[in-house]
Amino acid sequence: MADLAPLALPADDWHTWLEERGRGQLRVAAERVDALRAGPRGDVTLLGTWDEASLALANARAACSLLASVHPDPAVMELAETIETEASAFDTDLHLDAEVHAALASVPVDGLDADARRVLDETLRDFRRAGVDRPAEDRERLRGLDQRLTDLALTFSRNIRDGRRVTRVPAAALAGLPDDFVAAHPADADGTVAISTDYPDTHPFLTFAHDDAARRAVATSFLSLAWPENDVVLAELLRLRHEKATLLGYASWPDLDAEITMIRTGDAIGDFVDRITAAAGPAAERELAVLQERAAADLAGGAVPVDVSSWRYWFEAVRREQYGVDAQTVRRYFDFPRVRDGLLTVTGRLFGLTWTPVPGDEARTWHEDVTTYDVALDGEVLGRIHLDLHPRERKYNHAAQFDLVPGVLDRQLPEGVLVCNFPRGLMDHDDVVTLFHEFGHLLHHVLAGRQRWVRFSGVATERDFVEAPSQMLEEWAWDAAVLRTFAVDADGAPIPADLVAAMRRADEFGKALLARTQMFYAAVSLRLHLERPEDLTARVLELQREHSLLAPLPGTHFHTGFGHLEGYTSAYYTYMWSLVIAKDMFTAFDADDLFAAGPAQRYRDRVLAPGGSRDAVDLVEDLLGRPYDDRAFTRWLAG
């Protein structure tokens, strides 16, 4: 690989830098598109010119998408959103350009290698799906639709990001919370404490606080993010997505969305959601009965419905009392800096990687919380990663991996960013699992960053396979031998193996109930796009009663804060679909020795490194030596 340098980030003037990186790369893309139009028809070099334009556009979009989500300066965030909108408009115009399409369609397929042929086929398919072959009037309407959809999607995400709320509860409502949480939440003069909708506040409160009324108040705030603003935004998003799909000749948005995934059709999504809902039903009913019985033992009045504000609390009680797992005891072993460093050590050992910290004056990131590492394999630098892992005002408030630079062989090193919202001190084990999950995406981005074509770079597989590698990496966060390499208490004692075994047994409890909840999310994602109901809140509550056994909380509006309706649109089913594949891929590893180098490095080279250059079914078959199936998932779900 050529001697490439990471992207140079600015010391302070991010506005000027973003202008050059964003609009500058858009100008490069425009120049390459002009060259494509002017190039000789029937020349294979046209495909290379297209790739250069695609790379410049990807560079612009990656920088803007990231900084619109994480930069502390609102002016930089606003500029990033503006340029991101311009990039989307450029992309729309490009894929509706009949002249560009004709140039690419003229490229002779004879003599193209398999990768180049795949690029050409998929690119021409993208033009068709954009509507390049539609009548002029339809193309103009599609252009307007895409512009408006971009604006609405940005607004939807911005409203969630900026919609942080605070619930004031009596100081006595902190009873049951860990000492460090209580210390970090002092009471005001009026005797109340502020609990924000940030994950490090809401999730521990809903898990440990004894005060049922206070939990309801906090959950109500958390489940009404961006209400009522996003109710209107989402309604228009759903309507315009449907219009776009039908204008392109599809029956619905889910059919358009699913065409290039593993599942293929919107009907198949519905069938999958119904199948998992039914399969998880009997076990979920049994688990819910256990929670209700435990709740009734504490609360007067006999049968008690377990709802979305209380399930975490009763789960914790059952796991503590019936499985001997106390989350407050467990979290003693998961101090954030040790977990972060341990994750790097584990993945380095597993995949043969070296993570070298980059000094702050060289990394020059957008915030002092960010830590930066260069990634190497066998002494060769593969790329760079940035970890932005703590909450702050106006920052993206979920957990995700963002691209900063798409890697291309001999042209530019991949750079990825992990954006999460973890506490700075002790972490719940659920947080540790989330960190491993998201890091799986980051590994995929970096390891697949040496493709010759930018189209195949990084996490470029079918969207319903994207989560499989990250879900599989969660297995390492449950292994005693792995955890003992970094999970130690304040005295340096490693987490006991019998405690980890108990944690795994406790985790088995509730998996069917949580699978039903995931199917509720998937049903919301699918059904709102298919039906576009007038009253979104009412329909979401109906879907919750149909798919999730956890009672809804009156007065909440889950859909307005469900950020995946912007990114995954109708395809939230992908998390469970990918889990089926992840469970099967894990059978390629030795469960008794998760540090075994052979399986890990085969997985690295056969599944992660190819990026999007092959279909996911072929990647998995190459790893397993057979087509994937659902047997491992079925065994897991059945316990």
Side-chain angles (χ1 to χ4, degrees):
M1 194 169 186
D3 187 14
L4 302 174
L7 182 65
L9 299 178
D12 46 32
D13 188 359
W14 281 88
H15 196 282
T16 299
W17 182 89
L18 185 56
E19 279 278 359
E20 180 53 36
R21 183 64 177 177
R23 291 195 171 110
Q25 285 292 292
L26 286 181
R27 287 192 295 271
V28 171
E31 291 167 359
R32 301 318 298 152
V33 171
D34 287 343
L36 181 64
R37 289 194 189 96
R41 296 297 183 264
D43 193 323
V44 294
T45 62
L46 293 173
L47 196 57
T49 305
W50 169 258
D51 188 59
E52 293 166 0
S54 300
L55 178 58
L57 179 59
N59 284 338
R61 300 183 87 162
C64 292
S65 176
L66 172 69
L67 295 179
S69 299
V70 301
H71 202 281
D73 184 345
V76 175
M77 276 188 159
E78 184 177 349
L79 176 62
E81 283 192 355
T82 298
I83 301 175
E84 191 173 7
T85 300
E86 294 169 6
S88 293
F90 180 94
D91 190 37
T92 295
D93 289 344
L94 182 58
H95 282 91
L96 289 171
D97 190 319
E99 188 178 2
V100 174
H101 175 256
L104 290 167
S106 77
V107 173
V109 297
D110 293 342
L112 294 181
D113 63 25
D115 280 357
R117 177 65 182 269
R118 184 180 178 91
V119 170
L120 181 60
D121 288 346
E122 293 186 356
T123 299
L124 293 175
R125 180 192 65 189
D126 290 346
F127 273 85
R128 174 187 59 77
R129 285 169 50 81
V132 73
D133 57 351
R134 312 301 289 182
E137 181 179 349
D138 288 353
R139 291 203 306 274
E140 196 55 36
R141 178 57 182 159
L142 286 164
R143 195 185 318 276
L145 284 172
D146 278 347
Q147 184 65 45
R148 181 60 180 157
L149 285 168
T150 297
D151 293 341
L152 289 168
L154 288 170
T155 300
F156 189 82
S157 294
R158 186 192 313 119
N159 287 344
I160 295 173
R161 186 189 69 218
D162 296 347
R164 182 180 187 270
R165 298 184 179 196
V166 170
T167 305
R168 303 214 64 93
V169 301
L174 295 184
L177 272 297
D179 291 343
D180 58 322
F181 187 98
V182 175
H185 293 77
D188 283 354
D190 63 357
T192 64
V193 171
I195 305 297
S196 77
T197 48
D198 293 338
Y199 282 11
D201 269 12
T202 295
H203 286 180
F205 193 89
L206 296 181
T207 302
F208 299 116
H210 297 323
D211 190 320
D212 182 67
R215 288 199 311 270
R216 281 178 167 263
V218 169
T220 298
S221 294
F222 182 73
L223 294 171
S224 296
L225 280 172
W227 169 265
E229 300 88 349
N230 268 355
D231 195 61
V232 177
V233 175
L234 180 59
E236 188 176 359
L237 266 173
L238 296 172
R239 178 175 62 81
L240 296 186
R241 283 171 180 163
H242 180 72
E243 181 183 350
K244 177 179 178 178
T246 55
L247 197 57
L248 289 169
Y250 296 84
S252 67
W253 175 266
D255 279 330
L256 169 64
D257 199 32
E259 182 186 33
I260 56 174
T261 65
M262 299 177 76
I263 208 166
R264 297 301 184 198
T265 69
D267 285 346
I269 298 175
D271 292 343
F272 178 75
V273 171
D274 291 344
R275 188 166 72 251
I276 298 299
T277 298
E285 294 279 3
R286 292 192 297 270
E287 291 165 352
L288 180 63
V290 172
L291 296 184
Q292 289 174 329
E293 182 180 2
R294 178 61 186 81
D298 270 16
L299 302 176
V304 178
V306 174
D307 64 23
V308 293
S309 72
S310 64
W311 70 267
R312 287 183 175 87
Y313 182 78
W314 300 118
F315 257 71
E316 172 60 19
V318 168
R319 287 169 174 171
R320 180 177 61 249
E321 296 163 6
Q322 299 189 22
Y323 295 91
V325 177
D326 182 344
Q328 295 198 41
T329 298
V330 171
R331 66 198 298 272
R332 293 190 300 119
Y333 295 96
F334 296 113
D335 183 54
F336 170 79
R338 285 186 179 274
V339 173
R340 179 198 60 201
D341 295 346
L343 170 66
L344 295 174
T345 300
V346 167
T347 52
R349 178 177 171 185
L350 195 61
F351 299 110
L353 302 171
T354 302
W355 311 95
T356 303
V358 179
D361 57 344
E362 180 184 340
R364 295 202 302 267
T365 57
W366 50 92
H367 195 273
E368 61 186 9
D369 280 348
V370 181
T371 53
T372 300
Y373 302 82
D374 281 334
V375 190
L377 174 64
D378 297 329
E380 179 183 0
V381 175
L382 294 183
R384 178 170 282 190
I385 64 168
H386 308 271
L387 307 181
D388 187 349
L389 301 180
H390 303 302
R392 58 179 177 270
E393 193 74 20
R394 299 190 81 243
K395 176 189 165 185
Y396 177 84
N397 52 6
H398 296 289
Q401 181 260 321
F402 287 76
D403 294 354
L404 177 56
V405 181
V408 180
L409 184 67
D410 293 333
R411 281 192 275 173
Q412 55 188 39
L413 291 172
E415 294 192 47
V417 184
L418 215 55
V419 181
C420 301
N421 290 275
F422 298 125
R424 299 175 187 275
L426 299 179
M427 304 172 68
D428 293 331
H429 184 252
D430 285 348
D431 289 336
V432 178
V433 174
T434 298
L435 180 57
F436 271 72
H437 174 103
E438 298 300 340
F439 202 81
H441 292 305
L442 198 59
L443 280 167
H444 202 172
H445 175 72
V446 172
L447 289 169
R450 294 192 288 182
Q451 294 295 318
R452 186 162 61 92
W453 301 93
V454 67
R455 185 180 189 94
F456 302 148
S457 177
V459 187
T461 62
E462 298 96 321
R463 190 165 51 166
D464 42 7
F465 180 72
V466 161
E467 297 296 333
S470 54
Q471 288 173 325
M472 197 182 72
L473 196 64
E474 293 178 18
E475 300 283 356
W476 277 257
W478 287 100
D479 184 80
V482 171
L483 290 177
R484 286 171 64 85
T485 64
F486 63 84
V488 299
D489 64 15
D491 297 325
I495 190 168
D498 58 353
L499 176 57
V500 178
M503 289 162 57
R504 296 200 70 152
R505 289 193 297 271
D507 185 61
E508 290 291 301
F509 172 75
K511 65 186 176 186
L513 196 57
L514 294 179
R516 287 288 296 258
T517 301
Q518 284 288 306
M519 291 303 94
F520 157 56
Y521 299 158
V524 168
S525 170
L526 174 66
R527 293 296 166 191
L528 292 190
H529 282 88
L530 284 174
E531 300 166 9
R532 305 172 305 287
E534 183 174 344
D535 189 334
L536 294 172
T537 295
R539 183 60 177 130
V540 168
L541 290 174
E542 289 175 355
L543 290 169
Q544 186 163 7
R545 295 185 184 100
E546 181 181 346
H547 292 278
S548 173
L549 300 182
L550 301 173
L553 197 60
T556 58
H557 309 274
F558 166 75
H559 59 287
T560 60
F562 188 28
H564 289 295
L565 290 174
E566 184 276 312
Y568 276 86
T569 70
S570 61
Y572 189 83
Y573 78 92
T574 60
Y575 280 90
M576 192 63 72
W577 179 275
S578 293
L579 184 60
V580 172
I581 302 172
K583 290 295 183 184
D584 201 21
M585 288 197 300
F586 188 61
T587 63
F589 291 81
D590 181 355
D592 295 325
D593 182 11
L594 291 190
F595 279 123
Q601 293 178 16
R602 282 196 300 275
Y603 168 72
R604 177 195 70 195
D605 296 338
R606 298 183 184 188
V607 175
L608 300 182
S613 63
R614 300 179 63 194
D615 290 347
V617 291
D618 296 327
L619 297 176
V620 178
E621 184 170 353
D622 193 21
L623 174 70
L624 298 176
R626 57 168 174 80
Y628 82 89
D629 58 49
D630 65 358
R631 288 176 297 174
F633 173 82
T634 301
R635 288 195 300 271
W636 169 80
L637 189 61

